[in-house]
Amino acid sequence: MSVLEERQPAGAVPETVSVRQWAYNLLEEGQLETWLGRVIESFLITLIIANVVAVALETIPSVNVRFHTLFAVFEQFSLVAYTLEYVIRVWASPEDPRIGARGPVRGRITYVLRPLMIIDFLAFAPSYLGIFFGIDLRVLRIFRLFRLLKLARYSQALQALIGVLAAERSSLFASLILLLATVCLEGELMHIVEGGVQPDKLGTMPNAMYWAITTLTTVGYGDITPVTPLGKLIAGATMITGLALFALPVGIIANGFVTGLSRRRFAINWNMLRRQPLLAGFDMDSLSNVMEVAMAVMMREHAHVIVAGKDATDFYLVVSGEARSESTHGERHIGPGDMIGPEALLLSAEYQSTVTATSDMRLIVLPGDELRRLARKYPVLAERIGHAPDGGTGQAIAANDPMVRVKELEEENAQLRRALSDLVVKKLMSESDR
């Protein structure tokens, strides 16, 4: 399916939203701009926290005896709620283009194997073992604590941290290998130096490696300590090495976490991009290319999004919120689905208007360089930006387009040549009359 087609493709968003798509938007896409979305998300988060509190209170004998029936009813209610949520998520998952492209069965199987869906499954499925097979509930309590991990679904910062761990897995694995090598080296040295002096504590490599781990982490329980001068020297070097070794992965994670949060202030998802009129009709691969370079920012009320006369470095798509555009063509209201700063499509251009947020806004940002690259790849993108109803900005783009300017100059030259020819003809005719 080509993105150049202006007609609505088979996978495009329909005019009317189906029940399945509504459920997908509500649970997967996090439609917090609606009161129902906020209520459902708040309810699920509260239910998760309440379950963890209930698991902890059940371990207190006096509380468990007094409120045992209440705990049992609450567990059954939670079990039904989590099961219903899981089933609805699986049912609505084909609304995600990446899932729908695989087919209704294979796509759903791929979806349930995602880490967050596995966590969702473990949050309720083991409880059915206690109901149907009478398994000890104390064992199932461990699985019930998995429900706390469901909070990762509602925390974009936590999802960003998980993404950092996945993105930096090679560096973190290298740090782990270095740590294990140090544990083996320091343990072997201590085993050689102190093994004969303290055979009961450092006479074996496993005990020496245990000492190395506690020393590298600077925990130092004190159950194993060196007694020889050389052993104490090795212990000191191990402590200092531990500070550097554990600072390395912490630095990797912290840097990646901060960078990820600065790039994406809120989650840009498939459905959010599909709802943008500028990207209507784009297929899955095209939206993937846009998502790879798109960033997201929050704009507070009264903040300037762009300022007239400044270099047009970024292009914005409005996800939610409203703004006011002021230019030589007058004022214009901007709302969800509108675009801001189409001048970024041109190299070395300036913004022709000043846009001020009149409410809190969520914006998708495309850097000018990436926008121009996408426009070369998908000409329909440049065409839609150039014909945007932006109160004169589209005309400004056309005026600053080098190719348009060349055509205008050619037309001006043709007019001058015609005018010169007319003057020459008139002069010759006047001379012949004489």
Side-chain angles (χ1 to χ4, degrees), residues 108-124:
R108 286 188 171 99
I109 293 175
T110 303
Y111 178 73
V112 299
L113 294 178
R114 288 181 174 182
L116 285 178
M117 289 303 295
I118 293 175
I119 292 174
D120 286 349
F121 182 77
L122 293 176
F124 72 89

Side-chain angles (χ1 to χ4, degrees), residues 66-364:
R66 184 175 180 182
F67 300 102
H68 179 74
T69 303
L70 180 61
F71 284 139
V73 172
F74 178 68
E75 171 60 19
Q76 293 175 1
F77 171 78
S78 301
L79 192 58
V80 172
Y82 289 136
T83 304
L84 184 62
E85 177 201 4
Y86 182 85
V87 171
I88 293 176
R89 287 186 186 276
V90 175
W91 170 67
S93 61
E95 293 298 325
D96 186 332
R98 296 166 294 181
I99 301 300
R102 297 173 179 266
V105 177
R106 185 182 174 188
R108 286 188 171 99
I109 293 175
T110 303
Y111 178 73
V112 299
L113 294 178
R114 288 181 174 182
L116 285 178
M117 289 303 295
I118 293 175
I119 292 174
D120 286 349
F121 182 77
L122 293 176
F124 72 89
S127 297
Y128 285 107
L129 298 177
I131 295 175
F132 296 108
F133 301 101
I135 296 179
D136 189 354
L137 293 178
R138 289 176 298 177
V139 177
L140 296 179
R141 188 179 296 126
I142 298 175
F143 291 96
R144 287 170 62 188
L145 290 176
F146 270 100
R147 296 171 184 175
L148 185 62
L149 298 179
K150 284 171 64 66
L151 289 175
R153 184 183 293 279
Y154 308 103
S155 172
Q156 293 172 9
L158 188 56
Q159 291 182 26
L161 179 58
I162 295 174
V164 169
L165 294 177
E168 301 293 343
R169 58 185 180 276
S170 298
S171 300
L172 293 175
F173 182 72
S175 301
L176 177 62
I177 295 298
L178 184 60
L179 176 62
L180 292 177
T182 305
V183 168
C184 294
L185 176 62
E186 300 292 351
E188 178 65 25
L189 290 176
M190 188 59 70
H191 171 64
I192 294 173
V193 174
E194 296 270 345
V197 181
Q198 303 184 73
D200 56 328
K201 295 182 178 180
L202 295 169
T204 63
M205 268 298 291
N207 284 347
M209 291 175 66
Y210 164 76
W211 168 86
I213 292 174
T214 58
T215 306
L216 283 169
T217 57
T218 68
V219 173
Y221 290 116
D223 53 342
I224 302 178
T225 56
V227 294
T228 64
L230 184 56
K232 293 178 180 180
L233 179 63
I234 295 173
T238 304
M239 296 174 193
I240 296 174
T241 305
L243 294 175
L245 284 177
F246 281 94
L248 182 60
V250 171
I252 293 172
I253 295 173
N255 181 66
F257 184 62
V258 172
T259 302
L261 285 183
S262 63
R263 280 186 56 86
R264 303 189 66 165
R265 303 292 182 177
F266 61 90
I268 300 176
N269 50 51
W270 291 90
N271 213 44
M272 184 182 297
L273 290 177
R274 287 194 304 175
R275 290 199 301 269
Q276 294 297 320
L278 177 66
L279 303 175
F282 275 46
D283 56 26
M284 185 172 63
D285 292 335
S286 305
L287 290 177
S288 296
N289 291 332
V290 176
M291 186 179 290
E292 287 176 358
V293 299
M295 297 181 293
V297 296
M298 299 288 295
M299 284 288 178
R300 295 301 181 187
E301 186 178 2
H302 305 308
H304 286 312
V305 182
I306 62 174
V307 178
K310 298 292 185 179
D311 292 339
T313 56
D314 296 308
F315 173 76
Y316 301 86
L317 291 172
V318 181
V319 177
S320 64
E322 297 179 339
R324 182 181 68 255
S325 174
E326 299 173 298
S327 67
T328 55
H329 301 277
E331 291 189 4
R332 184 173 67 92
H333 174 265
I334 294 176
D338 289 335
M339 60 185 75
I340 300 174
E343 297 90 348
L345 185 62
L346 302 177
L347 186 63
S348 303
E350 295 180 349
Y351 292 122
Q352 302 297 313
S353 61
T354 297
V355 176
T356 306
T358 55
S359 67
D360 290 348
M361 302 182 71
R362 295 196 302 170
L363 303 170
I364 297 174

